[in-house]
Amino acid sequence: MLRVGIIGTGGIADAHINGYLAFPGECEIVALADVVAGKAAQKAETFELAAAAFDDPLAMIASGLVDLVSVATPPSTHAALAIAALDAGIDVLVEKPMAPSLEECDAMLAAQERSGRVLSVVAQNRFRDDLATLKDVVDSGLLGSISHVRVDSAWWRGLPYYDLWWRGTWEKEGGGCTLNHAIHHIDLLLWLLGSPTEITAMLANAQHDNAEVEDLSVAVFRYDRGLAQLTSSVVHHGQEQAIVIQGANARVSQPFSVVAERARADGFPEQGGDPEVVARIEALVADRTPLAHLGHEGQIGDLLGAIRDGRSPIAGGHDGRNAVEVVTAIYKAGFERQFVSLPISASDPYYRAGQLVANAPHFFEKKASLIEAAS
């Protein structure tokens, strides 16, 4: 029975708590920690957990009470807490983004290597049936070579969203919607297609004059002969996320649909398309076995299995780092108005912790700093 501790008891901690509670035969939540005095105890009471409450996360790590911790704190604290836990012999699940810089990500991976423990980075959308379906179709080869991918990480947040003390600043949040919202779609793009070779981007703050960070970015990725484009936003009414993958043989998208064209003798599309290609893709989808556990619960179940079986988790530390590398490239491209080649080397100034904060534009200045978000 794994003893679980959760560091950070804000809203996202609820998803972790519910995820662990779904596996009562494999783990037990025994400790909660938060730097805000009394907050951990309040969360334990809310969920009726017989768990120790700590106002110092490092004290919980040093207590010897836990075998596995979830780090659900602001991004700027992820590296220090994860490294402390790994060096104490504790397995770690860290919320997205893994860390604000590649230097910090690599320090976390080094701690994992020297400790021999498991490090997983939250990528809960890999544990959604609709997105796992896209992955199966891409991996099947039925689409043919990929021509173009359009990813819309489209969200909407009002001005009060950035009043919370750690949001809306480059130093504490690490970035805006590109890092803290689109990181999930970036992970999915990497999961589906692998890493691009080159990135360019533009950034803006279109609607939030109480935040330093961007609330909108548009990036273009080069993949071999094809291209991908990513819109990251917290200004889109309707919050309609989408992934559209265009291959040589067909298009598949989420929300799920499949379309395949077939050429006439003159090259124009034939009426009715190519029903045989569509039928093969739809048959593949129909034969899928639905995932037993979804979202955070699915990822936690995979992590528990990885610890038990001595294997790597589906979303490991290197996956988290790869997503941060893409975000770093988007920010560098946007700040410097250039094309950025991947991978980013350790000699690149943007690799280092603090470099992004030093170079980032302040679109506006933060106007409020609330300890708790308004309800």
Side-chain angles (χ1 to χ4, degrees):
M1 179 76 72
L2 288 172
R3 302 170 299 165
V4 175
I6 296 173
I7 302 175
T9 55
I12 198 62
D14 294 7
H16 288 253
I17 291 170
N18 286 322
Y20 290 115
L21 292 177
F23 301 94
E26 299 184 54
C27 64
E28 179 184 7
I29 300 171
V30 300
L32 301 173
D34 199 291
V35 295
V36 178
K39 193 174 178 183
Q42 184 180 20
K43 184 69 75 172
E45 182 179 351
T46 298
F47 280 86
E48 299 181 348
L49 300 173
F54 292 83
D55 294 334
D56 180 357
L58 295 178
M60 188 189 83
I61 289 171
S63 69
L65 291 176
V66 299
D67 308 305
L68 165 64
V69 297
S70 275
V71 177
T73 56
S76 61
T77 66
H78 286 181
L81 291 169
I83 290 168
L86 290 164
D87 283 341
I90 298 169
D91 298 309
V92 173
L93 173 62
V94 62
E95 259 298 335
K96 59 81 183 172
M98 182 174 177
S101 73
L102 290 170
E103 183 177 32
E104 291 164 290
C105 291
D106 284 342
M108 295 164 73
L109 290 172
Q112 177 193 16
E113 180 69 23
R114 65 176 173 261
S115 68
R117 308 312 304 177
V118 175
L119 172 63
S120 182
V121 180
V122 170
Q124 76 268 24
N125 286 337
R126 294 189 184 196
F127 300 88
R128 281 176 45 175
D129 269 314
D130 55 347
L131 297 170
T133 296
L134 282 191
K135 173 70 169 169
D136 287 348
V137 172
V138 171
D139 289 349
S140 74
L142 291 172
L143 296 180
S145 61
I146 304 301
S147 311
H148 179 257
V149 179
R150 175 174 62 85
V151 180
D152 293 332
S153 182
W155 306 89
W156 189 91
R157 295 292 184 270
L159 290 174
Y161 179 77
Y162 285 109
D163 288 345
L164 190 61
W165 68 274
W166 59 270
R167 289 190 187 135
T169 68
W170 292 102
E171 182 180 3
K172 294 293 190 297
E173 193 174 12
C177 56
T178 311
L179 179 67
N180 292 293
H181 289 78
I183 193 79
H184 291 301
H185 283 90
I186 290 169
D187 174 74
L188 290 171
L189 184 61
L190 296 174
W191 188 47
L192 291 166
L193 298 186
S195 293
T197 58
E198 190 176 39
I199 295 175
T200 192
M202 296 184 73
L203 313 171
N205 183 314
Q207 299 296 341
H208 294 86
D209 61 3
N210 61 340
E212 302 170 2
V213 297
E214 89 287 355
D215 61 10
L216 176 66
S217 71
V218 178
V220 179
F221 304 69
R222 185 177 300 281
Y223 277 98
D224 297 326
R225 294 174 59 188
L227 298 173
Q229 66 189 74
L230 167 71
T231 298
S232 310
S233 169
V234 287
V235 300
H236 275 58
H237 295 272
Q239 303 197 112
E240 295 171 345
Q241 293 89 48
I243 301 175
V244 181
I245 303 171
Q246 302 280 358
N249 304 327
R251 182 206 82 192
V252 66
S253 58
Q254 179 273 331
F256 187 78
S257 69
V258 56
V259 178
E261 305 287 3
R262 181 164 54 191
R264 299 185 324 205
D266 61 1
F268 283 86
E270 185 174 284
Q271 186 174 1
D274 192 332
E276 294 179 6
V277 171
V278 171
R280 286 198 293 271
I281 293 173
E282 289 181 338
L284 172 73
V285 172
D287 286 343
R288 285 191 69 256
T289 301
L291 299 173
H293 301 279
L294 305 176
H296 277 79
E297 181 180 311
Q299 179 154 4
I300 285 170
D302 173 71
L303 174 59
L304 296 174
I307 295 170
R308 181 185 64 244
D309 301 336
R311 60 168 174 83
S312 298
I314 288 174
H318 287 283
D319 298 303
R321 184 199 188 278
N322 290 343
V324 171
E325 181 174 48
V326 168
V327 172
T328 302
I330 292 172
Y331 282 145
K332 180 180 178 181
F335 297 170
E336 307 291 343
R337 299 187 178 186
Q338 63 180 231
F339 289 84
V340 176
S341 297
L342 270 66
I344 294 174
S345 71
S347 63
D348 189 308
Y350 280 86
Y351 170 89
R352 297 196 297 272
Q355 186 68 27
L356 188 145
V357 174
N359 286 3
H362 283 213
F363 290 100
F364 297 95
E365 296 304 322
K366 189 172 174 68
K367 296 178 180 178
S369 186
L370 302 180
I371 296 299
E372 294 287 346
S375 58

